[in-house]
Amino acid sequence: MKKIIFLLLFPLLLISQIDKTIKLKVAIMQNFVAKGEVEGETMFWQTKGKVTYAIVNYTEDQNPQFKALFISQFKELYTIYKRMVVSEDERDTALYVKTLVRQEEEYRNLLTPAQLKLYLDKLADFEKNNPESNDSYASLFFSENLLKEYKLKFSLK
């Protein structure tokens, strides 16, 4: 009986996790945008860079690639975010989420296989064992489970 109840509630738990992380992702962007475009951009790439560096230890050659990636991500998100907040249109919100998913994949594509494993293992560990850290990381990144759920909910490949 417990298994049946869990199976019926599982989709609701996933939906609430996605809704929660969308709110976290928008809130973190709101903090960066509130600093202004220039300072927000700097804070964005430095935050993403420091957080992920602590997990995957970028090489000297990779540092400029990730800095450029994070700066371009901020610029793209900044534009969509500003439009989304003004319009309050579901399509702008969907575009924002789809952009976050694509940007996560772009980030992962720059990692070596060993770095990607470290990254995914650390996020999975947070997801399973440390809800506070998981919320912090989920505001900027996607665990493998969360990325799959976002893709499913937003019909992405």
Side-chain angles (χ1 to χ4, degrees):
M1 182 67 174
K2 287 182 183 178
K3 286 184 179 180
I4 292 171
I5 292 172
F6 177 75
L7 290 175
L8 293 173
L9 292 177
F10 188 68
L12 296 174
L13 294 172
L14 291 176
I15 290 170
S16 65
Q17 179 64 22
I18 289 173
D19 290 343
K20 178 183 178 182
T21 58
I22 288 173
K23 289 176 185 172
L24 290 170
K25 290 175 183 305
V26 170
I28 194 80
M29 189 64 183
Q30 181 180 12
N31 289 334
F32 294 127
V33 169
K35 297 293 182 183
E37 192 169 355
V38 174
E39 186 177 346
E41 175 186 296
T42 301
M43 289 177 61
F44 182 87
W45 73 258
Q46 286 179 347
T47 302
K48 285 189 89 165
K50 287 177 185 176
V51 167
T52 54
Y53 179 81
I55 298 172
V56 302
N57 297 319
Y58 305 137
T59 66
E60 286 297 318
D61 291 340
Q62 288 176 306
N63 277 331
Q65 291 176 316
F66 287 111
K67 179 181 178 181
L69 175 69
F70 296 148
I71 288 171
S72 71
Q73 287 180 345
F74 177 80
K75 288 178 179 179
E76 182 178 27
L77 287 175
Y78 183 86
T79 302
I80 298 167
Y81 173 85
K82 295 291 257 183
R83 185 174 60 233
M84 177 182 73
V85 171
V86 171
S87 76
E88 298 181 11
D89 188 324
E90 287 181 20
R91 292 173 292 189
D92 289 333
T93 303
L95 176 61
Y96 187 79
V97 171
K98 289 175 182 180
T99 302
L100 290 171
V101 168
R102 180 182 43 77
Q103 288 180 349
E104 174 71 16
E105 292 174 332
E106 290 170 352
Y107 168 73
R108 290 179 180 195
N109 287 336
L110 290 178
L111 296 171
T112 67
Q115 289 171 325
L116 181 59
K117 181 172 179 2
L118 286 171
Y119 175 73
L120 294 177
D121 288 350
K122 180 58 91 175
L123 293 181
D125 179 58
F126 287 149
E127 194 172 53
K128 184 177 177 183
N129 300 312
N130 192 334
E132 288 178 5
S133 290
N134 185 55
D135 285 349
S136 295
Y137 280 81
S139 68
L140 291 168
F141 306 101
F142 290 85
S143 68
E144 190 64 16
N145 291 333
L146 192 57
L147 185 62
K148 286 178 185 175
E149 291 305 320
Y150 267 74
K151 285 181 172 184
L152 184 64
K153 181 175 180 167
F154 290 92
S155 302
L156 302 170
K157 293 181 181 185

